[in-house]
Amino acid sequence: MAIDYAGHCRLSVAEARMRIAEARQAHPDWFDFPFRLTEPRALRNFDAEIAREFGIEAKSRFTLFVQDKEKLDGLEDALDYLYALFGPDNLVLTWGLDTIRPPRG
């Protein structure tokens, strides 16, 4: 079973790309391995409708994949870091496309 988190983002693809680059640079220990962040992309097909169901008017989307299920240490911190980096009003992370993973607070 794959573990992935979809990032539904209010920022443009260009703005989201800058934040993803910043995340990779700040935390290569997370985002090079064991987790992989995809490049943000424009919304396709039903992405906007799906994001609205999670309460956000998204403009872009990215995915965080867990590459090694044996190394989940740091996953929750990495997800919270993404919320802090993007701003909690600009991002909703969902486990797959099923369940919101809100920021811990």
Side-chain angles (χ1 to χ4, degrees):
M1 177 171 143
I3 301 172
D4 61 274
Y5 291 85
H8 310 272
C9 182
R10 253 191 200 115
L11 303 178
S12 70
V13 172
E15 292 171 309
R17 186 174 291 125
M18 289 188 296
R19 302 276 167 85
I20 294 289
E22 185 177 337
R24 288 178 180 138
Q25 184 175 8
H27 288 284
D29 54 319
W30 288 335
F31 301 122
D32 284 344
F33 190 83
F35 317 123
R36 182 173 63 88
L37 281 172
T38 65
E39 286 298 312
R41 63 169 176 78
L43 301 182
R44 296 185 232 161
N45 301 324
F46 300 103
D47 288 340
E49 290 84 357
I50 291 168
R52 272 189 216 106
E53 289 180 23
F54 295 122
I56 190 166
E57 290 293 328
K59 294 180 184 172
S60 61
R61 187 167 156 221
F62 63 88
T63 305
L64 179 142
F65 291 100
V66 174
Q67 298 180 95
D68 185 347
K69 292 183 224 171
E70 300 296 318
K71 298 188 179 188
L72 293 176
D73 292 345
L75 176 60
E76 295 301 317
D77 290 336
L79 296 171
D80 286 334
Y81 173 79
L82 291 173
Y83 272 118
L85 181 64
F86 279 80
D89 293 336
N90 292 323
L91 181 66
V92 172
L93 292 169
T94 61
W95 184 21
L97 293 175
D98 296 323
T99 306
I100 293 176
R101 192 297 195 167
R104 296 180 296 180

